């Protein structure tokens, strides 16, 4: 654990001294972030930029140079997104033991929304066309903040010096995952007497066993579910997915092939049982269903057919009077339609 600098500080647990020294500093830092990250962009747009434009515009003699001087600064999306995620993660991570962070987080969201909106619409130049990738990545990171919140809250509520509570019915299950109850008593007694200092692996397992107490057992269930989910997700994303994804695609293709084969077989049996075209045509006409591609036989296009036929006759008469051949084809190509219907009827009879 010392590789990750865990247990190398002055506090080995979240006790009263930790909340007095570290917790207070953390709350004040996040409270300062409410204004120290949202006000500077507005100051750059409404104070610094006008002063720089007034100072440097005296030496500019071309319109292009003046445009560069008076152009408003860009709104830094990546910086503001990183600052917001930093504040949100800190609040979500430590708010279980310090509820005062909840109203501070609400205040930050309100201030950041209105000041960023004002700065983007009124105090910045037109931003480039951003893609949604950076926002999607941020949205995928937010569940990790909930996981950290669960872990730190369970660690805090499991501390018997701050929130003493009895063991819950989940203690045998937790002992099978972390550490036995007898070893837990030995490890915690060593830390109370000062025989061992720092966060060791056994101390970590012992504190995880405290998750099964009545004050934190529900958080332990949520913590274990999130932990299993992230283990499976990252194993699939970085290792198993590269090997199992082609197998899944192969199985899906086999299922689709079987479904298509069954559909073709059902279609062939239905085609074998279907009546010939001439009999089906009489049945369709008896039911009032259009059985031809001719415009004259379709009640919705009959008026259009009459108009086209009238125009065709007029053009034919004018061509005959002038001694020229007809220049327009028949109204709806009835000869071609008849050939197509006869051909389809022969195919059906075959």
């Amino acid at each position: 654990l010392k590789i990750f600098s865990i247990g190398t500080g002055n506090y080995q647990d979240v006790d009263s001294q930790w909340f007095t020294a570290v917790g207070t500093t953390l709350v004040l830092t996040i409270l300062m972030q409410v204004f120290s990250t949202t006000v500077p962009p507005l100051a750059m747009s409404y104070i610094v930029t006008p002063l720089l434009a007034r100072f440097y515009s005296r030496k500019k003699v071309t319109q292009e140079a003046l445009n560069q001087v008076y152009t408003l600064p860009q709104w830094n999306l990546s910086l503001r997104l990183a600052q917001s995620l930093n504040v949100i993660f800190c609040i979500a991570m430590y708010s279980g033991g310090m509820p005062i962070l909840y109203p501070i987080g609400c205040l930050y969201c309100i201030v950041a929304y209105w000041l960023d909106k004002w700065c983007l619409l009124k105090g910045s130049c037109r931003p480039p066309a951003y893609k949604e990738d950076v926002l999607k990545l941020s949205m995928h990171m937010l569940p990790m903040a909930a996981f950290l919140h669960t872990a730190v809250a369970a660690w805090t509520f499991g501390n018997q010096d701050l929130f003493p509570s009895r063991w819950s019915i989940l203690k045998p299950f937790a002992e099978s995952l972390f550490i036995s109850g007898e070893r837990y008593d030995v490890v915690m007694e060593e830390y109370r007497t000062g025989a061992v200092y720092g966060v060791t692996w056994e101390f970590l397992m012992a504190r995880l066993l405290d998750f099964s107490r009545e004050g934190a057992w529900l958080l332990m269930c949520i913590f274990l579910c999130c932990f299993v989910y992230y283990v499976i997700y990252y194993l699939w994303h970085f290792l198993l997915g590269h090997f199992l994804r082609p197998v899944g695609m192969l199985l899906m293709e086999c299922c689709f092939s079987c479904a298509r084969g069954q559909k073709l077989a059902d279609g062939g049996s239905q085609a074998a049982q279907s009546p010939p075209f001439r009999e089906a045509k009489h049945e369709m006409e008896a039911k009032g269903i259009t059985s031809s591609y001719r415009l004259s036989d379709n009640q919705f296009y009959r008026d259009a057919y009459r108009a086209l036929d009238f125009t065709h006759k007029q053009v034919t008469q004018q061509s005959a009077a002038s001694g020229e051949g007809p220049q327009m084809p028949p109204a709806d190509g009835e000869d071609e339609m008849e050939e197509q219907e006869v051909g389809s009827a022969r195919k059906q009879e075959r």
Side-chain angles (χ1 to χ4, degrees), residues 296-321:
S296 58
D297 295 338
N298 194 315
Q299 59 178 347
F300 298 104
Y301 299 99
R302 192 167 297 156
D303 295 337
Y305 165 76
R306 292 173 181 173
L308 293 173
D309 184 61
F310 176 77
T311 305
H312 173 67
K313 291 180 180 179
Q314 292 292 330
V315 172
T316 303
Q317 293 177 0
Q318 293 177 3
S319 300

PDB file of all heavy atoms in Angstrom, residues 296-321:
ATOM      1  N   SER A 296     -55.181   2.786 -65.077  1.00  0.00           N
ATOM      2  CA  SER A 296     -56.621   2.819 -65.338  1.00  0.00           C
ATOM      3  C   SER A 296     -57.387   1.874 -64.430  1.00  0.00           C
ATOM      4  O   SER A 296     -58.581   2.066 -64.195  1.00  0.00           O
ATOM      5  CB  SER A 296     -56.896   2.448 -66.800  1.00  0.00           C
ATOM      6  OG  SER A 296     -56.361   1.164 -67.099  1.00  0.00           O
ATOM      7  N   ASP A 297     -56.706   0.843 -63.872  1.00  0.00           N
ATOM      8  CA  ASP A 297     -57.371  -0.120 -62.996  1.00  0.00           C
ATOM      9  C   ASP A 297     -57.282   0.258 -61.521  1.00  0.00           C
ATOM     10  O   ASP A 297     -57.888  -0.405 -60.675  1.00  0.00           O
ATOM     11  CB  ASP A 297     -56.768  -1.511 -63.190  1.00  0.00           C
ATOM     12  CG  ASP A 297     -57.030  -2.056 -64.586  1.00  0.00           C
ATOM     13  OD1 ASP A 297     -57.989  -1.572 -65.230  1.00  0.00           O
ATOM     14  OD2 ASP A 297     -56.276  -2.931 -65.037  1.00  0.00           O
ATOM     15  N   ASN A 298     -56.521   1.286 -61.212  1.00  0.00           N
ATOM     16  CA  ASN A 298     -56.366   1.722 -59.829  1.00  0.00           C
ATOM     17  C   ASN A 298     -57.254   2.934 -59.587  1.00  0.00           C
ATOM     18  O   ASN A 298     -57.163   3.945 -60.276  1.00  0.00           O
ATOM     19  CB  ASN A 298     -54.898   2.084 -59.558  1.00  0.00           C
ATOM     20  CG  ASN A 298     -54.602   2.211 -58.076  1.00  0.00           C
ATOM     21  OD1 ASN A 298     -55.357   2.828 -57.328  1.00  0.00           O
ATOM     22  ND2 ASN A 298     -53.490   1.629 -57.659  1.00  0.00           N
ATOM     23  N   GLN A 299     -58.126   2.815 -58.593  1.00  0.00           N
ATOM     24  CA  GLN A 299     -59.101   3.880 -58.369  1.00  0.00           C
ATOM     25  C   GLN A 299     -58.448   5.168 -57.865  1.00  0.00           C
ATOM     26  O   GLN A 299     -59.000   6.251 -58.035  1.00  0.00           O
ATOM     27  CB  GLN A 299     -60.140   3.400 -57.354  1.00  0.00           C
ATOM     28  CG  GLN A 299     -59.540   3.006 -56.004  1.00  0.00           C
ATOM     29  CD  GLN A 299     -60.601   2.585 -55.009  1.00  0.00           C
ATOM     30  OE1 GLN A 299     -61.796   2.799 -55.231  1.00  0.00           O
ATOM     31  NE2 GLN A 299     -60.168   1.987 -53.889  1.00  0.00           N
ATOM     32  N   PHE A 300     -57.254   5.061 -57.257  1.00  0.00           N
ATOM     33  CA  PHE A 300     -56.590   6.260 -56.750  1.00  0.00           C
ATOM     34  C   PHE A 300     -55.883   7.032 -57.863  1.00  0.00           C
ATOM     35  O   PHE A 300     -55.641   8.226 -57.723  1.00  0.00           O
ATOM     36  CB  PHE A 300     -55.571   5.872 -55.663  1.00  0.00           C
ATOM     37  CG  PHE A 300     -56.200   5.207 -54.470  1.00  0.00           C
ATOM     38  CD1 PHE A 300     -56.100   3.831 -54.298  1.00  0.00           C
ATOM     39  CD2 PHE A 300     -56.909   5.944 -53.534  1.00  0.00           C
ATOM     40  CE1 PHE A 300     -56.678   3.220 -53.195  1.00  0.00           C
ATOM     41  CE2 PHE A 300     -57.487   5.337 -52.442  1.00  0.00           C
ATOM     42  CZ  PHE A 300     -57.382   3.962 -52.266  1.00  0.00           C
ATOM     43  N   TYR A 301     -55.532   6.381 -58.946  1.00  0.00           N
ATOM     44  CA  TYR A 301     -54.797   7.023 -60.042  1.00  0.00           C
ATOM     45  C   TYR A 301     -55.609   7.082 -61.336  1.00  0.00           C
ATOM     46  O   TYR A 301     -55.065   7.369 -62.389  1.00  0.00           O
ATOM     47  CB  TYR A 301     -53.484   6.269 -60.311  1.00  0.00           C
ATOM     48  CG  TYR A 301     -52.543   6.257 -59.133  1.00  0.00           C
ATOM     49  CD1 TYR A 301     -52.468   5.150 -58.297  1.00  0.00           C
ATOM     50  CD2 TYR A 301     -51.741   7.364 -58.859  1.00  0.00           C
ATOM     51  CE1 TYR A 301     -51.620   5.135 -57.210  1.00  0.00           C
ATOM     52  CE2 TYR A 301     -50.879   7.358 -57.764  1.00  0.00           C
ATOM     53  CZ  TYR A 301     -50.826   6.247 -56.954  1.00  0.00           C
ATOM     54  OH  TYR A 301     -49.979   6.234 -55.882  1.00  0.00           O
ATOM     55  N   ARG A 302     -56.906   6.782 -61.258  1.00  0.00           N
ATOM     56  CA  ARG A 302     -57.722   6.737 -62.475  1.00  0.00           C
ATOM     57  C   ARG A 302     -57.877   8.119 -63.101  1.00  0.00           C
ATOM     58  O   ARG A 302     -57.801   8.276 -64.320  1.00  0.00           O
ATOM     59  CB  ARG A 302     -59.093   6.155 -62.135  1.00  0.00           C
ATOM     60  CG  ARG A 302     -59.937   5.786 -63.348  1.00  0.00           C
ATOM     61  CD  ARG A 302     -61.103   4.942 -62.914  1.00  0.00           C
ATOM     62  NE  ARG A 302     -60.653   3.676 -62.337  1.00  0.00           N
ATOM     63  CZ  ARG A 302     -61.362   2.951 -61.477  1.00  0.00           C
ATOM     64  NH1 ARG A 302     -62.543   3.413 -61.053  1.00  0.00           N
ATOM     65  NH2 ARG A 302     -60.891   1.812 -61.013  1.00  0.00           N
ATOM     66  N   ASP A 303     -58.052   9.141 -62.290  1.00  0.00           N
ATOM     67  CA  ASP A 303     -58.171  10.508 -62.820  1.00  0.00           C
ATOM     68  C   ASP A 303     -56.865  10.947 -63.474  1.00  0.00           C
ATOM     69  O   ASP A 303     -56.880  11.599 -64.531  1.00  0.00           O
ATOM     70  CB  ASP A 303     -58.545  11.466 -61.694  1.00  0.00           C
ATOM     71  CG  ASP A 303     -59.939  11.178 -61.128  1.00  0.00           C
ATOM     72  OD1 ASP A 303     -60.750  10.574 -61.866  1.00  0.00           O
ATOM     73  OD2 ASP A 303     -60.185  11.546 -59.959  1.00  0.00           O
ATOM     74  N   ALA A 304     -55.733  10.581 -62.842  1.00  0.00           N
ATOM     75  CA  ALA A 304     -54.447  10.911 -63.472  1.00  0.00           C
ATOM     76  C   ALA A 304     -54.292  10.198 -64.803  1.00  0.00           C
ATOM     77  O   ALA A 304     -53.771  10.766 -65.779  1.00  0.00           O
ATOM     78  CB  ALA A 304     -53.303  10.543 -62.532  1.00  0.00           C
ATOM     79  N   TYR A 305     -54.754   8.964 -64.883  1.00  0.00           N
ATOM     80  CA  TYR A 305     -54.675   8.226 -66.155  1.00  0.00           C
ATOM     81  C   TYR A 305     -55.520   8.906 -67.237  1.00  0.00           C
ATOM     82  O   TYR A 305     -55.083   9.030 -68.383  1.00  0.00           O
ATOM     83  CB  TYR A 305     -55.149   6.792 -65.942  1.00  0.00           C
ATOM     84  CG  TYR A 305     -55.441   6.078 -67.244  1.00  0.00           C
ATOM     85  CD1 TYR A 305     -54.406   5.616 -68.045  1.00  0.00           C
ATOM     86  CD2 TYR A 305     -56.763   5.885 -67.673  1.00  0.00           C
ATOM     87  CE1 TYR A 305     -54.685   4.980 -69.240  1.00  0.00           C
ATOM     88  CE2 TYR A 305     -57.044   5.256 -68.850  1.00  0.00           C
ATOM     89  CZ  TYR A 305     -55.994   4.799 -69.642  1.00  0.00           C
ATOM     90  OH  TYR A 305     -56.264   4.186 -70.839  1.00  0.00           O
ATOM     91  N   ARG A 306     -56.710   9.367 -66.875  1.00  0.00           N
ATOM     92  CA  ARG A 306     -57.568  10.030 -67.862  1.00  0.00           C
ATOM     93  C   ARG A 306     -56.928  11.323 -68.362  1.00  0.00           C
ATOM     94  O   ARG A 306     -56.979  11.620 -69.568  1.00  0.00           O
ATOM     95  CB  ARG A 306     -58.927  10.315 -67.247  1.00  0.00           C
ATOM     96  CG  ARG A 306     -59.740   9.051 -66.949  1.00  0.00           C
ATOM     97  CD  ARG A 306     -61.011   9.379 -66.187  1.00  0.00           C
ATOM     98  NE  ARG A 306     -61.787   8.182 -65.882  1.00  0.00           N
ATOM     99  CZ  ARG A 306     -62.865   8.173 -65.110  1.00  0.00           C
ATOM    100  NH1 ARG A 306     -63.299   9.317 -64.543  1.00  0.00           N
ATOM    101  NH2 ARG A 306     -63.502   7.039 -64.878  1.00  0.00           N
ATOM    102  N   ALA A 307     -56.312  12.067 -67.460  1.00  0.00           N
ATOM    103  CA  ALA A 307     -55.644  13.298 -67.882  1.00  0.00           C
ATOM    104  C   ALA A 307     -54.478  12.993 -68.815  1.00  0.00           C
ATOM    105  O   ALA A 307     -54.288  13.654 -69.856  1.00  0.00           O
ATOM    106  CB  ALA A 307     -55.165  14.075 -66.659  1.00  0.00           C
ATOM    107  N   LEU A 308     -53.669  12.003 -68.496  1.00  0.00           N
ATOM    108  CA  LEU A 308     -52.555  11.622 -69.364  1.00  0.00           C
ATOM    109  C   LEU A 308     -53.040  11.081 -70.704  1.00  0.00           C
ATOM    110  O   LEU A 308     -52.458  11.368 -71.764  1.00  0.00           O
ATOM    111  CB  LEU A 308     -51.679  10.580 -68.665  1.00  0.00           C
ATOM    112  CG  LEU A 308     -50.904  11.065 -67.423  1.00  0.00           C
ATOM    113  CD1 LEU A 308     -50.215   9.888 -66.745  1.00  0.00           C
ATOM    114  CD2 LEU A 308     -49.875  12.117 -67.823  1.00  0.00           C
ATOM    115  N   ASP A 309     -54.121  10.303 -70.667  1.00  0.00           N
ATOM    116  CA  ASP A 309     -54.651   9.747 -71.914  1.00  0.00           C
ATOM    117  C   ASP A 309     -55.226  10.853 -72.818  1.00  0.00           C
ATOM    118  O   ASP A 309     -55.035  10.840 -74.043  1.00  0.00           O
ATOM    119  CB  ASP A 309     -55.732   8.718 -71.583  1.00  0.00           C
ATOM    120  CG  ASP A 309     -56.244   8.038 -72.829  1.00  0.00           C
ATOM    121  OD1 ASP A 309     -55.429   7.380 -73.527  1.00  0.00           O
ATOM    122  OD2 ASP A 309     -57.454   8.165 -73.127  1.00  0.00           O
ATOM    123  N   PHE A 310     -55.881  11.838 -72.182  1.00  0.00           N
ATOM    124  CA  PHE A 310     -56.411  12.948 -72.972  1.00  0.00           C
ATOM    125  C   PHE A 310     -55.269  13.752 -73.607  1.00  0.00           C
ATOM    126  O   PHE A 310     -55.319  14.126 -74.778  1.00  0.00           O
ATOM    127  CB  PHE A 310     -57.261  13.851 -72.072  1.00  0.00           C
ATOM    128  CG  PHE A 310     -57.781  15.077 -72.761  1.00  0.00           C
ATOM    129  CD1 PHE A 310     -58.875  15.014 -73.631  1.00  0.00           C
ATOM    130  CD2 PHE A 310     -57.167  16.308 -72.556  1.00  0.00           C
ATOM    131  CE1 PHE A 310     -59.351  16.148 -74.271  1.00  0.00           C
ATOM    132  CE2 PHE A 310     -57.634  17.437 -73.196  1.00  0.00           C
ATOM    133  CZ  PHE A 310     -58.737  17.372 -74.063  1.00  0.00           C
ATOM    134  N   THR A 311     -54.231  14.013 -72.835  1.00  0.00           N
ATOM    135  CA  THR A 311     -53.077  14.739 -73.383  1.00  0.00           C
ATOM    136  C   THR A 311     -52.420  13.943 -74.509  1.00  0.00           C
ATOM    137  O   THR A 311     -51.999  14.511 -75.538  1.00  0.00           O
ATOM    138  CB  THR A 311     -52.064  15.010 -72.263  1.00  0.00           C
ATOM    139  OG1 THR A 311     -52.708  15.704 -71.190  1.00  0.00           O
ATOM    140  CG2 THR A 311     -50.895  15.833 -72.777  1.00  0.00           C
ATOM    141  N   HIS A 312     -52.314  12.643 -74.323  1.00  0.00           N
ATOM    142  CA  HIS A 312     -51.717  11.805 -75.365  1.00  0.00           C
ATOM    143  C   HIS A 312     -52.528  11.863 -76.663  1.00  0.00           C
ATOM    144  O   HIS A 312     -51.964  11.944 -77.775  1.00  0.00           O
ATOM    145  CB  HIS A 312     -51.632  10.357 -74.854  1.00  0.00           C
ATOM    146  CG  HIS A 312     -51.186   9.382 -75.891  1.00  0.00           C
ATOM    147  ND1 HIS A 312     -49.915   9.382 -76.442  1.00  0.00           N
ATOM    148  CD2 HIS A 312     -51.866   8.368 -76.514  1.00  0.00           C
ATOM    149  CE1 HIS A 312     -49.813   8.414 -77.335  1.00  0.00           C
ATOM    150  NE2 HIS A 312     -51.002   7.792 -77.392  1.00  0.00           N
ATOM    151  N   LYS A 313     -53.850  11.826 -76.532  1.00  0.00           N
ATOM    152  CA  LYS A 313     -54.692  11.897 -77.739  1.00  0.00           C
ATOM    153  C   LYS A 313     -54.561  13.254 -78.421  1.00  0.00           C
ATOM    154  O   LYS A 313     -54.508  13.342 -79.659  1.00  0.00           O
ATOM    155  CB  LYS A 313     -56.148  11.631 -77.364  1.00  0.00           C
ATOM    156  CG  LYS A 313     -56.403  10.183 -76.931  1.00  0.00           C
ATOM    157  CD  LYS A 313     -57.864   9.980 -76.563  1.00  0.00           C
ATOM    158  CE  LYS A 313     -58.126   8.550 -76.145  1.00  0.00           C
ATOM    159  NZ  LYS A 313     -59.541   8.318 -75.749  1.00  0.00           N
ATOM    160  N   GLN A 314     -54.500  14.326 -77.632  1.00  0.00           N
ATOM    161  CA  GLN A 314     -54.338  15.652 -78.221  1.00  0.00           C
ATOM    162  C   GLN A 314     -53.018  15.765 -78.979  1.00  0.00           C
ATOM    163  O   GLN A 314     -52.966  16.297 -80.104  1.00  0.00           O
ATOM    164  CB  GLN A 314     -54.398  16.714 -77.104  1.00  0.00           C
ATOM    165  CG  GLN A 314     -55.767  16.856 -76.462  1.00  0.00           C
ATOM    166  CD  GLN A 314     -56.796  17.444 -77.415  1.00  0.00           C
ATOM    167  OE1 GLN A 314     -56.475  18.232 -78.308  1.00  0.00           O
ATOM    168  NE2 GLN A 314     -58.063  17.059 -77.229  1.00  0.00           N
ATOM    169  N   VAL A 315     -51.956  15.278 -78.387  1.00  0.00           N
ATOM    170  CA  VAL A 315     -50.651  15.338 -79.066  1.00  0.00           C
ATOM    171  C   VAL A 315     -50.662  14.471 -80.306  1.00  0.00           C
ATOM    172  O   VAL A 315     -50.098  14.837 -81.353  1.00  0.00           O
ATOM    173  CB  VAL A 315     -49.534  14.900 -78.091  1.00  0.00           C
ATOM    174  CG1 VAL A 315     -48.211  14.772 -78.821  1.00  0.00           C
ATOM    175  CG2 VAL A 315     -49.419  15.885 -76.951  1.00  0.00           C
ATOM    176  N   THR A 316     -51.322  13.315 -80.240  1.00  0.00           N
ATOM    177  CA  THR A 316     -51.393  12.431 -81.422  1.00  0.00           C
ATOM    178  C   THR A 316     -52.161  13.095 -82.561  1.00  0.00           C
ATOM    179  O   THR A 316     -51.759  13.024 -83.743  1.00  0.00           O
ATOM    180  CB  THR A 316     -52.058  11.113 -81.036  1.00  0.00           C
ATOM    181  OG1 THR A 316     -51.336  10.510 -79.954  1.00  0.00           O
ATOM    182  CG2 THR A 316     -52.063  10.149 -82.203  1.00  0.00           C
ATOM    183  N   GLN A 317     -53.267  13.740 -82.243  1.00  0.00           N
ATOM    184  CA  GLN A 317     -54.041  14.423 -83.280  1.00  0.00           C
ATOM    185  C   GLN A 317     -53.247  15.576 -83.899  1.00  0.00           C
ATOM    186  O   GLN A 317     -53.249  15.770 -85.122  1.00  0.00           O
ATOM    187  CB  GLN A 317     -55.352  14.932 -82.685  1.00  0.00           C
ATOM    188  CG  GLN A 317     -56.319  13.819 -82.270  1.00  0.00           C
ATOM    189  CD  GLN A 317     -57.569  14.356 -81.623  1.00  0.00           C
ATOM    190  OE1 GLN A 317     -57.727  15.585 -81.475  1.00  0.00           O
ATOM    191  NE2 GLN A 317     -58.472  13.452 -81.213  1.00  0.00           N
ATOM    192  N   GLN A 318     -52.556  16.355 -83.074  1.00  0.00           N
ATOM    193  CA  GLN A 318     -51.764  17.461 -83.603  1.00  0.00           C
ATOM    194  C   GLN A 318     -50.618  16.958 -84.469  1.00  0.00           C
ATOM    195  O   GLN A 318     -50.297  17.542 -85.504  1.00  0.00           O
ATOM    196  CB  GLN A 318     -51.213  18.303 -82.452  1.00  0.00           C
ATOM    197  CG  GLN A 318     -52.282  19.049 -81.669  1.00  0.00           C
ATOM    198  CD  GLN A 318     -51.703  19.823 -80.500  1.00  0.00           C
ATOM    199  OE1 GLN A 318     -50.490  19.836 -80.306  1.00  0.00           O
ATOM    200  NE2 GLN A 318     -52.576  20.476 -79.716  1.00  0.00           N
ATOM    201  N   SER A 319     -50.017  15.848 -84.066  1.00  0.00           N
ATOM    202  CA  SER A 319     -48.923  15.287 -84.867  1.00  0.00           C
ATOM    203  C   SER A 319     -49.448  14.753 -86.192  1.00  0.00           C
ATOM    204  O   SER A 319     -48.804  14.894 -87.241  1.00  0.00           O
ATOM    205  CB  SER A 319     -48.236  14.160 -84.087  1.00  0.00           C
ATOM    206  OG  SER A 319     -47.696  14.636 -82.871  1.00  0.00           O
ATOM    207  N   ALA A 320     -50.640  14.117 -86.152  1.00  0.00           N
ATOM    208  CA  ALA A 320     -51.215  13.606 -87.401  1.00  0.00           C
ATOM    209  C   ALA A 320     -51.605  14.744 -88.337  1.00  0.00           C
ATOM    210  O   ALA A 320     -51.459  14.654 -89.561  1.00  0.00           O
ATOM    211  CB  ALA A 320     -52.435  12.732 -87.093  1.00  0.00           C
ATOM    212  N   ALA A 321     -52.117  15.846 -87.782  1.00  0.00           N
ATOM    213  CA  ALA A 321     -52.498  16.984 -88.621  1.00  0.00           C
ATOM    214  C   ALA A 321     -51.279  17.650 -89.238  1.00  0.00           C
ATOM    215  O   ALA A 321     -51.347  18.148 -90.377  1.00  0.00           O
ATOM    216  CB  ALA A 321     -53.285  18.003 -87.786  1.00  0.00           C
TER     217      ALA A 321
END
